[in-house]
C-alpha cells in the first residue's frame, strides 16, 4: 500500500467533526500547589496514627525525652502483653459480635426498605423517603437520653442487644439513601422479563435485585461495620460491666487504669483501631465504586 493510499484511507476513516480518541496521549499533571495541599492533608491524617503505633514500641522515658524520634530500642513487650490479655480478646469479641450483627441488620432491612421505595408506587412514598433523609440530620448523641430510657424499659441495659438494635435503627437512613438510586436504575424490562419467565416478586428480588445492587450493598455494609466498630457514645451509656465492653470502651477503661503508662496505652489504642484500618484499607475501592457507580442494565 502506497503512502498516498494510506493517507486517503486514514482521512476517510476519520469523519469531519468526529471526536478524536485521546486515550493514548499522556495525561497532563495538575498544578504543583494542588499536590502540595493533598500531601499536607494526607500527612495530617497519617501522622497521628503513626505516632500512636510507634509510641506503643517505646518506653515512657523515650516518649518524654524524645517524642518525635523513632523507638530505640524497640519495645515489643507492650504489644505482646496486651495480646496475651483475655480482657483485650473479650472486648475484641464483643466488638465483632456488635459490628457483624449491626451490619447484617442494617444491610438486610435497608435493602428491603430501599426495594419498596425504589420499585413501587404507593401513598406517602415521598414522605417516607423524606423521613429517612431527615434521619441523616438526627445524630445519635441528640437522642441518647430518651434512647437510654427506652433501652432501660426493654431490659437491655448492659446487654449487647441494647447496642445492636439502636445501631441498626440509626444506620438505616444512610443505607436507604445509598441503595434507592441503585435499585431505581435497574431497568423495568428486566423485571418484566423475569415476570414472563414466572419469577415472583421475591424471586426477582433475590435473583436479580441483590446481584445487580451488589456494589451498593457492599458499600453500605463496609460503612456500617466501620461505624459500629468505632461507636463509643452508645456503648458508654448502655454497657456497664467490663465483660460486655467493646474495644472503644476498653480503650477508655485501659487508659484510666494505666494512665501513668503512656506507652502501654498507645499500644492498646493501636491494637483497638488496627482492625478498622485494615478493613477500610482493603475495601476502600469498593466504597468509592459503590458510591460513584451505577447499575448497568
Amino acid at each position: 500500500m502506497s503512502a498516498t493510499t494510506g493517507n486517503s484511507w486514514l482521512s476517510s476513516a476519520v469523519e469531519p467533526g468526529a471526536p478524536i480518541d485521546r486515550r493514548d496521549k499522556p495525561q497532563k499533571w495538575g498544578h504543583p500547589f494542588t499536590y502540595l495541599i493533598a500531601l499536607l492533608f494526607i500527612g495530617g491524617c497519617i501522622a497521628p496514627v503513626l505516632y500512636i503505633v510507634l509510641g506503643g514500641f517505646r518506653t515512657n522515658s523515650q516518649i518524654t525525652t524524645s517524642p518525635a524520634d523513632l523507638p530505640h530500642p524497640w519495645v515489643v513487650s507492650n504489644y505482646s502483653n496486651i495480646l496475651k490479655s483475655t480482657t483485650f480478646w473479650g472486648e475484641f469479641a464483643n466488638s465483632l459480635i456488635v459490628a457483624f450483627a449491626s451490619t447484617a441488620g442494617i444491610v438486610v432491612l435497608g435493602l428491603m426498605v430501599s426495594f419498596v421505595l425504589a420499585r413501587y408506587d404507593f401513598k406517602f412514598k415521598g414522605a417516607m423517603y423524606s423521613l429517612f433523609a431527615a434521619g441523616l440530620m438526627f445524630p445519635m448523641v441528640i437522642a441518647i437520653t430518651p434512647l437510654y430510657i427506652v433501652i432501660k424499659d426493654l431490659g437491655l441495659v448492659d446487654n449487647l442487644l441494647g447496642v445492636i438494635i439502636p445501631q441498626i435503627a440509626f444506620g438505616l437512613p444512610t443505607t436507604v439513601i445509598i441503595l434507592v438510586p441503585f435499585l431505581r436504575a435497574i431497568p423495568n424490562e428486566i423485571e418484566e422479563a423475569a415476570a414472563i419467565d414466572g419469577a415472583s416478586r421475591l424471586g426477582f428480588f433475590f435473583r436479580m435485585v441483590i446481584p445487580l445492587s451488589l456494589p451498593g450493598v457492599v458499600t453500605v455494609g463496609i460503612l456500617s461495620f466501620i461505624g459500629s466498630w468505632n461507636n463509643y457514645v452508645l456503648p458508654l451509656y448502655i454497657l456497664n460491666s467490663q465483660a460486655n465492653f467493646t474495644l472503644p470502651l476498653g480503650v477508655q477503661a485501659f487508659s484510666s487504669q494505666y494512665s501513668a503508662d503512656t506507652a502501654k496505652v498507645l499500644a492498646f489504642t493501636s491494637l483497638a483501631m488496627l482492625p478498622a484500618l485494615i478493613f477500610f484499607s482493603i475495601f476502600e475501592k469498593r466504597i468509592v465504586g459503590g458510591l460513584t457507580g451505577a447499575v448497568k442494565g
Side-chain angles (χ1 to χ4, degrees), residues 40-139:
L40 290 176
F41 181 77
I42 294 172
C45 295
I46 296 178
V49 178
L50 289 178
Y51 181 83
I52 293 173
V53 174
L54 293 177
F57 289 101
R58 304 178 186 181
T59 61
N60 292 323
S61 59
Q62 291 178 16
I63 296 175
T64 303
T65 56
S66 55
D69 292 342
L70 291 175
H72 183 73
W74 291 70
V75 181
V76 186
S77 59
N78 291 330
Y79 285 95
S80 61
N81 291 336
I82 294 173
L83 291 174
K84 295 176 184 177
S85 170
T86 56
T87 302
F88 171 81
W89 289 110
E91 294 166 353
F92 182 86
N94 291 336
S95 291
L96 278 182
I97 293 172
V98 171
F100 278 116
S102 300
T103 301
I106 291 172
V107 171
V108 172
L109 295 178
L111 186 58
M112 291 191 292
V113 172
S114 301
F115 177 71
V116 174
L117 291 176
R119 308 297 299 183
Y120 296 99
D121 293 324
F122 54 91
K123 196 174 182 180
F124 302 120
K125 170 184 174 180
M128 184 177 295
Y129 185 78
S130 300
L131 184 64
F132 280 103
L136 297 175
M137 300 179 289
F138 192 71

Side-chain angles (χ1 to χ4, degrees), residues 11 39 123 147 158 198 242 250-251:
S11 60
L39 289 175
K123 196 174 182 180
L147 182 61
D158 201 24
Q242 191 166 7
V251 170

Side-chain angles (χ1 to χ4, degrees), residues 33 99 293:
F33 183 73

